[in-house]
Every structure is written in structure tokens, then in C-alpha cells.
Amino acid sequence: MSIRSIKSTLLLGLSTAALTVPTVALAQNDASDEQSSDKLIIVTASKRETTLQETPIAVSVTSAEQIEQSVVRDLFDIQTLVPSLRVGQSQDSASTSFSIRGFGNGGNNLGIEPSVGIFIDGVYRSRSAAAISDLPNVQRIEVLRGPQSTLFGKNASSGIISVVTQEPQFEFGGSAEISYGNFNAFIAKANVTGPLGETVAASLSGSINQRDGYAEDVNLGFEINERDRWAIRGQLLFEPTEDLSIRLIADYDRIDEVCCSSVNIVDGPTGNIVRALGATIVSNDRFGTTSSSNFKPVNEIDNFGVSLHGDLDLGGVTLSAIASYRGVRSFSDGDSDYTNLDSIRTSANQDDLDTYTVELRAASDFDGPVNFLAGAFLFKEDIALTGNFEYGPGFAQFANAVSGGQYSALEPTLRALIPSIPAGEFGGVGQGRVTDFDYNNSAISIFGQVDWEIVEGLTFTVGGNFTHDEKDVVQNNVSTDVFSGIDLVQAGVAAGVPAALATNPTFNPFLGLRALQFTPPFLNFPNSVEDGQTEDSDLSYTFRLAYDVTDNVSSYVTYATGFKASSFNLSADSRPFAADFIPGSEFQVPAPAPSPIRDAGLAVNNLTTGTRFAGPEEAVLYEIGIKGQWSNGAINVALFDQTLNGFQDNVFTGTGFVLGNAEKQSVRGFEVDGSFTPVDGLTFTAALTYLDAEYDSFTGGSAFDPATLTIVPADLSGQRPAGIPEWSGSIGGTYSHSFDSGNKLTLHADFFFESETQLAEGLPQFTRSVNELNASATFGLSNGLDFTIWGRNLTKDIYNTGIFPTTAQAGSLSGFRNFPRTYGASVKFRF
């Protein structure tokens, strides 16, 4: 079926209200219960327990039943059920990014807090490494679309993903599940819950997720893109009275995977040089599953934490408190030149995160026309990031090959011209760089919201959130690359080239080697010019008018703003702003113009400009929504115009990351979703998202030069951002039949699509589109035993999820491809 025919089918169905989303998660979607118009899913999107129809926010809810039927294993899979959400993974397991309505960032640079906030049981997870583990016993997943800073404060300028797990029960029960599939996929999950006394209940859950890789390293013979994860989670629920509830949660999970394989998309000018040195490149195979490296990648993540939740009902007002500690220990190492030429011996990163949060709230539930919610959120985070990048013996061979032997041959000459060059062979094994950042962030948010029912059915809401955010960073990066620290302009002058011509490669032959100075010296901070600190304050606010048109139809109009504080560039490309430094050699004529860093005597050889941090993001949203709920179906419609001023853009250049702000990025569009149950046991679901995205102003952007396939500065104003599909949607159906014996058959299928979209700025010839089918069939016995067969991506759709310049190989492109078809069977026992 073509994309065009799929769109036509969806639009026709939606226009007649015959179809609506899987993510509405009505009670009709619960295949284990009889259909009932009373049973609406309860959500906490507004930090109150309300029904989906009563919540005047664009929110999608995926229920536990949908998670089972669609074989959703982690947050990566959720995007097939929520078209406005996109989840991407790049060079390692921790580099996962989330975007909603086209806005998102933060996957590849630890200093960037994501624009999409992730909460698990109300606890903020500040980085994707703390949120990608498998979660046993999920009750529902809520995706809040659009800025949510008024109630969530910390980094919710694009939206929220809220995962809610099942709390302990005072009735003994549980489940155990084993699943096996292709690629030797083995998944085991179990949970048990029950009372420990009249006022105390407990639960314990755990999971194991293992799978062979679907890609192969043809040099060393190991498999890549595997799964190897396990998790354990324990909870205690204490309810001494009807009015007081205390919940303690502790969890630990570990990821230890060989990830992630890249493919060669364009084999550039250096490809033949690499092969001439005896190495292998699997060339021009953008959808392949083979690659070549000289050592096995490592991805290890330990994620753990504890949280304490309390709710006290005072009669009309409920007090709530959440205190948490989260820890993440992450180590990764990979062959980042993506060939088996031993030019890179290690490219390791060790990240340690410690996060502390406290949230206090008071929410009213008065019978009168006015209700309120007020609270405060405290946040503190410490990050220690260390990196080690070292050349292997193949680097000098490569440098000599691309320079015609000049890289090593000129070493005696350069040492004679500049006696101060440190000892060490050019490109010697073990040279490279050592990266060290210490990052501290503290923030406080004070928020409140008032709902005033002006007349019956018409409610005016006003809310505000004042956030104050402070960050300070200490950088201590050291380059041990001898050659990259040489001032080649100085060498030319010392060789007799007139200073006025020493910056011209026609007259200064040494300048031709500049491209091999991959790791030049750093200027660390704080220093006398750069204090390594940011301090941001903002008042975000929401105005909303909600009207109950009938008992079955509600509507709302929203104007809201959002905020995300400044983010630091914790990468090897953390370099001074252009306002603080003008590059150049002190030996050139004319001399570089004065600048604060040069005037302070801080300039070092080959220092270039870049970014230390990106300024804050500020979101503005205009939205109109309609929600309808009937006994046999529902429909939600949202029309929106959303803008992010100062969107934090993070682009990989091949050797590092360029972090900056797009002056203005906007998206206009609509979302339609819902469900329809024509007869008992049969439910159809569908969702459709349209996004008209644009860089309204991005004068300091970056894009590929189509001629050289390298990243260059570019004015992207007026262009559509890459990676944001114009159309995306899903359509599905679930059929359940109960037999007189008490046994039950459930059949489910869902289809997800994205229209063709450009993968990277400047390269319109490289695009992706998505057409994936997922399905499952479950036969449940009356004794609690379920047998399921399932499959994901049954259409065997193949596409690239991302594209980037290959490290140290100008003119070459690499990328990542999607998961292949997976299928298997599972057995689950409920008790």
C-alpha cells in the first residue's frame, strides 16, 4: 500500500469519526474487560487524576494492554504508537534522543538537557541514559505534546514523556513472562505484589532482555547492535489511614551491549587510501548490516535510584511530596573512524551523574468554582565527564598516505625551525586528547495554577512557573597530539616566507598539513575572560479556556510559554565564542585583531572559535483542541502553532559537536487521534500528525556542503529542518473473542508510517520514509496462562535513522540503519 493511499484512508476515516488513536487508551482498548463508556483512562498530565476527556492538554496515553499487544519493549518502540513522538539512537546505547512535534535534542552531548522532559513515577530523568532501560510492570505511558513548563518547570519546552508503573496492591498477585524470538532474543519478566500487613503492601519486579546483534563486524567477526539489559525494581506502599499514602521506590538496571553499528553511505576520496593501507571499508552500502573496526565497542550503563512519595488528603486539599536521588554510571568506547585501520586505539568516555530532586505540591478539590494547584521543585545535579582519545599505529600511516609522505618527512624540518616543539613522534601511538569536565547545576521552580469555572462547563485556567537555573563548569582538556600543537604559520615565517604571505598556502607549503591537526590545544575555563557559568531566570505561563460543549464533547483554547535553561557544550569542540577570540597566529602580518582572550595573554596555538554553551530556549504555543467521548468511540483533535526561540542545535562535524542556538524555529500542524468500537470485542485505532516545520531564522547554522560532503557554516533561515516528517501516522485494530470455557483469543495489528523526509541539512538526495507493521495473536486460558506470537516491522522496512560525516575522512558519509524484522513467541502466567 502506498503512502498516498494510506493517507487517503486515514483522512476519510477520521473525517467521518470512524477512527481515532491507539494512544487515547480508552477502556475499550482493554481487551481483558467488557467495553464500557464509563471506563475512561485516568491520566495525571495536569498533576491531578482526571479522565482523558477532562484534561485540556494534547496528551497521548499508551495503556499496559497496548504495550503488550504491540510488543513494546522500551521507550524506543513507543514512537510507533505516538506519531508526534520520535526516538533516535546513534553511536552508543546512551545516545538516545527524543523529540515531540519536531522539537528535541540532547542525545549526543551530555551538557544538553533534553527539550523533552522524561518522568518515571513523577521523578525527572535528566539524561536519556537514565531513561532508556526496560521498565517492568508499566501501567501507562503519557506523552504530553507542546511546552509543559508551567507545571513541570525543568526542561519541558517541547513536551513530556511520563511513565507510570503499577503501585503495590493489597491483594496478592503478579505475573511471569518468557519470550523468545529471532536473533536469539530472550526476554523474561516477572512481578509479584501483595500485602505485608493491613497497612503495608509491597511489590518486586524484574526483567532480562537479551538478543544477538543484527549487524556483523567483518574484520573481527563479532555481532553488533545486540541487547543485553536487566532491571530490578522494588516498592513499598504504606497507607496508615485513608488520608495518608507513602510510597518508597528503589530500582537498579544495567546495560552492557555491543552497540552501535554504522554503515558507509558514501565512500569518499580517502576510501582508496584506507584500503591501500590494508584496511576494509564496506563501501556505499547505506542499508547494509556489515561494518569493519579494529576493536570491539563497549557500552556499559548502570542506572539506579530511590524515591519517596507522599500524599496527604486534608479534606479539600491534598499535599504531595516527591524526593529522589538518581545515579548513572556510563562507560563507552568505540572505533570512531569506522574502519579496521588501527588509526584510533581508543575513544572512551566515562560519565558519572548524580541527580537530586524534591517536589512539593498542594492541590485543591473544592466543590466551588475555584480550585488551585501550587508547588515548588528543587533540582541539583553533578556530572563528572572524562574522555580519552588515542591514536593507534595506523594514524601515522594514514596521515602520511593522504599527505604524500610529508606528515613524517617534514618532522625534522619543523623541529629545526621551531625548537620548542615537544618531544614525541608525529602521530605517535597513544597521542590524542584527554577530556575532563566537572559540571554542577542547581535550579528551583515555583509554580501555581488556578482553575475558575466561570459558568457551568466553562473554565478559565491561568498558571505560572518561575524558574531560576544556575550552572557552572570546569574544563580541563589536554591535547597530547604533538603535531596538532604546531603553529604552521610560525614554521613558514621561520623558513623564510614573508610574514605577509605566511597565511597563504601557495607560499607557505606547511599549511597543506593543517587538515591533519585533528586535536589542537585547548583553552580551558574558567579563566580571566570566561567564567564557566550561566544563570537564567524565566517566568513561563499558561492561559487556557476550556468548555464542555456537551456531556460527550469538550474543547479548549490554550496560549502557553515554555523554557529550557542554557546548556553547556561538554565536548572536544568546547571552544571560545567568536566575541571572545579572533583566531590567527601571532607571527602573521597583519596580526589578528585584538580580542579579550588575546589581550589577556591566554591565546594558544591553533585555537579556534566555537561555543562554550548555548543560550536558553523559549517556547510559545497557540493551540485549539476538541475531545469527544462516546460509548463506542472517541476522537481528539489539536490544531497548533508552536515556536521555539533559541532552539539549541547540536551538530556532529566529524570530529566533535557544534552547539548553538537557532534564533527561531517553528512548527504548525494538527493531530487527530482516537478509537472506534463498532461491536463488542472489535476496536479500531488511528492517529495522524501533520507538521509544517521551518527554521524562521537560523543564521549561524551548519549544513553539508554537497560538493565536499563536509559540514560548513550555513544560513538555514527559511528552510525545513531535516529529520521532521511532514506526515506521520498509525492505524491499528484489536479483536477479542471470549469462549464459553473462559478462554480468550486476542488479535492485534498496527501500522506506522512517516512520509519521506530529508536526513541532513544540505543533502536533499538522502531521505528516509517509514512503513512498519506490527502484529500479535494471544490465546489466553482461563487459568491465567497466555500464549502469544508476535512480530515487529513485519514489512521488513529498511531505512537510515541518521547520517553524519565520517570521522577524519573528508568527503565520506556514514549513518545508522533501523532495526530489521523481529518476531517470536511468549508465554505469560498471571496469578
Side-chain angles (χ1 to χ4, degrees), residues 101-103 640-643 665-671 689-696 718-721 724-728 755:
R101 292 177 175 173
F103 295 114
F640 55 86
D641 186 327
Q642 187 172 331
T643 300
Q665 181 179 339
S666 64
V667 63
R668 291 151 296 279
F670 66 83
E671 298 156 332
T689 295
Y690 170 74
L691 300 176
D692 178 16
E694 181 182 12
Y695 285 126
D696 301 84
Q719 297 186 27
R720 182 182 182 90
I724 303 176
E726 186 177 20
W727 294 93
S728 59
S755 62

Side-chain angles (χ1 to χ4, degrees), residues 245 316 635 699 760:
S245 172
I635 187 166
T699 55

Side-chain angles (χ1 to χ4, degrees), residues 332-376:
S332 64
D333 193 6
D335 188 8
S336 54
D337 66 351
Y338 303 108
T339 75
N340 64 319
L341 179 66
D342 193 7
S343 55
I344 297 177
R345 187 170 72 175
T346 185
S347 182
N349 287 286
Q350 173 70 51
D351 309 326
D352 296 342
L353 290 80
D354 293 288
T355 308
Y356 309 84
T357 65
V358 175
E359 181 173 357
L360 305 172
R361 314 192 285 273
S364 70
D365 187 18
F366 301 142
D367 292 333
V370 177
N371 276 284
F372 71 88
L373 185 149

Side-chain angles (χ1 to χ4, degrees), residues 75 88-89 92-98 106-110 112 114 118 120 125-134 229 251-255 299-304 326-332 351-353 355 381 383:
L75 287 180
Q89 187 180 60
D92 56 48
S93 299
S95 298
T96 301
S97 58
F98 301 87
N108 288 296
N109 193 325
L110 197 62
I112 303 177
I118 299 177
I120 298 178
R125 304 288 181 98
S126 66
R127 299 298 188 279
S128 58
I132 61 174
S133 61
D134 301 336
R229 306 178 175 188
D251 65 271
Y252 183 93
D253 61 77
R254 179 169 175 79
I255 296 174
N299 289 267
E300 298 175 351
I301 303 173
D302 292 283
N303 177 39
F304 48 90
R326 302 294 315 170
V328 179
R329 305 293 181 262
S330 173
F331 176 79
S332 64
D351 309 326
D352 296 342
L353 290 80
T355 308
E381 183 166 71
I383 298 177

Side-chain angles (χ1 to χ4, degrees), residues 526-587:
N527 54 54
S528 60
V529 175
E530 303 169 298
D531 61 12
Q533 298 178 351
T534 61
E535 186 172 345
D536 300 304
S537 296
D538 179 81
L539 176 63
S540 299
Y541 47 88
T542 296
F543 296 102
R544 181 181 295 115
L545 194 63
Y547 179 59
D548 294 333
V549 182
T550 69
D551 289 342
N552 302 106
V553 178
S554 61
S555 61
Y556 65 89
V557 178
T558 297
Y559 172 78
T561 66
F563 173 74
K564 186 178 86 167
S566 301
S567 290
F568 267 92
N569 187 2
L570 303 187
S571 80
D573 277 350
S574 177
R575 298 186 180 278
F577 289 109
D580 293 326
F581 180 67
I582 297 176
S585 169
E586 62 179 299
F587 294 92

Side-chain angles (χ1 to χ4, degrees), residues 304-329:
F304 48 90
V306 61
S307 59
L308 184 63
H309 309 239
D311 293 285
L312 176 61
D313 187 349
L314 298 178
V317 176
T318 299
L319 303 181
S320 300
I322 303 176
S324 75
Y325 162 74
R326 302 294 315 170
V328 179
R329 305 293 181 262

Side-chain angles (χ1 to χ4, degrees), residues 400-443:
N400 278 310
V402 297
S403 66
Q406 293 300 297
Y407 182 75
S408 294
L410 288 175
E411 180 173 352
T413 302
L414 289 170
R415 288 191 178 279
L417 293 171
I418 308 177
S420 60
I421 294 176
E425 179 183 4
F426 287 4
V429 174
Q431 292 183 26
R433 65 171 179 261
V434 178
T435 308
D436 188 358
F437 289 97
D438 286 319
Y439 165 105
N440 298 283
N441 179 200
S442 60

Side-chain angles (χ1 to χ4, degrees), residues 4 76 160 171 194 274 338 377 392 425 447 449 467 471 505 519 561-562 603 609 684 714 716 758 803 809:
R4 180 173 296 176
F76 188 88
I160 290 292
E171 183 174 331
V274 171
Y338 303 108
F377 177 74
E425 179 183 4
F447 58 89
Q449 180 171 291
T467 296
K471 296 183 175 74
T519 55
T561 66
T609 58
F684 294 108
L716 300 179
Q758 191 172 312
I803 188 171
Q809 298 179 52

